[in-house]
Amino acid sequence: MEREFNLAEMSREALDALRQKIDTELDARAFEARMRQELKSHMNRQEWINSHHDAQRRRR
């Protein structure tokens, strides 16, 4: 959903509220990106551990 804003017509309070909404959205996006990266890293690490254990079992 894309909205248009006429910043020149907005009050100081409205501009502050808009800035807060933008900051909140950017924080949420950054959090989501960090969580995706952390999950990807965890899954890669788990995959390596599983393959390492499989290789050890084959050696026995």
Side-chain angles (χ1 to χ4, degrees):
M1 179 174 94
E2 195 170 314
R3 292 177 53 187
E4 290 189 27
F5 296 94
N6 186 343
L7 300 177
E9 293 180 1
M10 294 176 75
S11 68
R12 176 70 179 187
E13 292 79 19
L15 290 169
D16 285 341
L18 179 59
R19 182 170 18 110
Q20 183 59 43
K21 286 180 184 178
I22 291 168
D23 288 346
T24 300
E25 177 65 25
L26 292 175
D27 287 345
R29 290 180 186 190
F31 175 79
E32 180 182 9
R34 284 192 309 273
M35 289 295 102
R36 287 181 189 274
Q37 183 58 39
E38 201 170 307
L39 177 60
K40 182 179 177 183
S41 175
H42 174 76
M43 291 177 74
N44 288 341
R45 188 169 43 250
Q46 194 63 44
E47 184 179 326
W48 182 89
I49 289 169
N50 292 342
S51 68
H52 180 70
H53 288 169
D54 289 345
Q56 283 184 329
R57 281 192 285 274
R58 284 192 299 267
R59 287 189 214 120
R60 292 180 190 163

